[in-house]
Every structure is written in C-alpha cells, then in structure tokens.
Amino acid sequence: AQKITQTQPGMFVQEKEAVTLDCTYDTSDQSYGLFWYKQPSSGEMIFLIYQGSYDEQNATEGRYSLNFQKARKSANLVISASQLGDSAMYFCAMRTSNFGNEKLTFGTGTRLTIIP
Amino acid sequence: DVKVTQSSRYLVKRTGEKVFLECVQDMDHENMFWYRQDPGLGLRLIYFSYDVKMKEKGDIPEGYSVSREKKERFSLILESASTNQTSMYLCASSLGSLGGSELGPYNEQFFGPGTRLTVL
C-alpha cells in the first residue's frame, strides 16, 4: 500500500527566509510520481510542482523546488524567499497507476505561516 | 482554464437525510474523484471514476455511493447522512491515463472549491 508521511503539522517562518517542508513516502511500485499542492484559506487546492520517479533532475517551478532523494524515499518541498502569500496548508501526494487508473495518495499536510 | 465547480460551498443537513453533492468539470476530463478532508487526516479518496458509468472504490467508500451518467458530471451520494460524515468534500478531475503500469506524462488533478457539509 502507498503511504505519504508529513511529520510537520505546523511551521512558522520569517518572511523572506527559505523553508523546507518534509515529505517521505512508501511504495513498492517502480514507477510513481510526487506532487505538492497548496491550499490557501479559500479552500481550493493549487498544484505547485511534480517529480517523476525516473526524473534525474530535481523539479523546479519558480520559487518552488523539490529535493528528491529516491534512496531515502523523500520528496521535500523547498520554497525560497518566502512571502506572506505563502501562508497555507501544503500537501504532498503520490501518484501511482493500477493498469492505467491513476490515483493520488495524500499526506496529512503542513500548515505554513509566514511571519512579517 | 480548467474549471471544476461544486454545487454548494456550504451545506447543512440532518441525520438520516439523503444528500447529493454535485461536481461538474468543463475540460472533457476522463477521470473524476471525490475526496473528504478532515483536520489531521489530509485528503482521503472516497470514490473515483475513469469513464462514464464506471466507478471504483477509494480508501473510504463506506456510507457513500457515486453516479456518473455524463462525462462532465460526478455526483457523490450520502444515502443516510450521519454526524461522522461532517467534513469538507473536494471534487477533482484529470485527463485519462495512457494505460499500463508505467506512468506517462503527469496529469495533474484539478480541484473544485470544496463543499463544507455539516450533518446535525
């Protein structure tokens, strides 16, 4: 069975500092993918970044980067130069395929608060 | 822009009522999903559908059923609502997969705004 673990229920970070949100995963599949989503107080889930298990380079999207360490089964999200608008819930999710039917398994989330 | 809409943002129902939550997407996506979100538990998959009239159980299907009569619409049904079904319900959609056990290019899931359901 697939499992995602996010061990930080909440984090407080000073504005403009970098922040790392932890995510570890467990799967026996060889082919999988890892997503990070942001959920502001409005409730809508916003896709941030994706890393495939066979991707050799760490994914980057603007201020977001994914520190993918396959042997350690970790996929931490790094936000550089944090902004007040980064305050939100952040979810790590793993994508797996069962004969073409894809599913996502989510972690429990980390609530990030940026302090001015 | 992909748009996923849900019929209500807030809903209050009584124990034992039959509840329908509707979800509509406008991007011709094959896959649709229903999740519930609870504090400390993250998002948990209730049901998903990869084609019209097709459905698959997720991780927590008990007490729920679904209906997908048209490609753009996926309904979640609580046959007899109970207080432990008070939660935030999120619908999502994505393009269909290429098939097989190897993952192709990723198809992100697009989410609706959520329905906060309270069962009294």
Side-chain angles (χ1 to χ4, degrees):
Chain A
Q2 282 71 5
K3 187 174 170 65
I4 291 281
T5 301
Q6 295 180 254
T7 57
Q8 307 152 310
M11 287 186 71
F12 291 84
V13 172
Q14 205 74 39
E15 190 181 7
K16 297 180 185 170
E17 287 185 357
V19 56
T20 298
L21 304 181
D22 294 341
C23 172
T24 58
Y25 61 91
D26 189 20
T27 181
S28 56
D29 290 352
Q30 295 301 308
S31 180
Y32 54 89
L34 296 146
F35 288 88
W36 277 92
Y37 279 86
K38 172 184 179 181
Q39 187 182 43
S41 55
S42 58
E44 198 153 341
M45 300 283 281
I46 301 167
F47 164 72
L48 295 179
I49 196 167
Y50 174 80
Q51 179 87 39
S53 58
Y54 294 126
D55 294 342
E56 294 183 353
Q57 306 257 4
N58 283 348
T60 59
E61 290 284 350
R63 292 186 301 114
Y64 303 108
S65 61
L66 203 152
N67 183 3
F68 182 49
Q69 298 188 41
K70 197 169 180 177
R72 298 179 63 180
K73 293 191 173 180
S74 74
N76 298 340
L77 177 70
V78 180
I79 306 174
S80 63
S82 57
Q83 302 170 355
L84 296 178
D86 294 332
S87 293
M89 281 290 287
Y90 288 81
F91 291 97
C92 180
M94 179 164 56
R95 162 199 189 214
T96 54
S97 177
N98 181 17
F99 299 104
N101 297 324
E102 293 192 21
K103 285 174 43 175
L104 286 185
T105 300
F106 283 83
T108 53
T110 296
R111 182 171 296 282
L112 176 64
T113 303
I114 306 299
I115 305 165
Chain B
D1 272 357
V2 175
K3 198 156 179 72
V4 181
T5 56
Q6 296 183 229
S7 49
S8 308
R9 287 302 301 270
Y10 300 94
L11 207 54
V12 179
K13 295 291 181 181
R14 297 214 173 268
T15 302
E17 280 192 74
K18 191 168 185 175
V19 181
F20 291 87
L21 302 182
E22 304 284 341
C23 175
V24 178
Q25 50 92 6
D26 66 358
M27 285 301 291
D28 204 32
H29 283 171
E30 288 80 9
N31 297 337
M32 296 189 75
F33 307 83
W34 274 107
Y35 297 90
R36 65 175 282 176
Q37 181 180 1
D38 300 289
L41 296 177
L43 277 74
R44 292 178 291 167
L45 182 64
I46 304 172
Y47 267 97
F48 66 105
S49 167
Y50 51 88
D51 203 351
V52 175
K53 295 192 185 297
M54 306 298 285
K55 61 185 179 185
E56 292 281 339
K57 291 181 180 179
D59 300 317
I60 51 164
E62 297 78 19
Y64 303 94
S65 62
V66 290
S67 172
R68 191 161 181 208
E69 296 296 318
K70 293 184 178 182
K71 191 175 185 180
E72 68 270 19
R73 188 180 295 269
F74 192 35
S75 303
L76 180 69
I77 304 155
L78 288 66
E79 293 288 344
S80 178
S82 64
T83 54
N84 62 14
Q85 293 178 309
T86 291
S87 186
M88 169 74 94
Y89 290 87
L90 291 164
C91 174
S93 73
S94 70
L95 282 170
S97 306
L98 299 177
S101 58
E102 291 294 316
L103 295 176
Y106 73 85
N107 295 319
E108 66 179 274
Q109 289 189 16
F110 293 86
F111 284 81
T115 295
R116 189 167 293 281
L117 172 68
T118 302
V119 182
L120 301 175

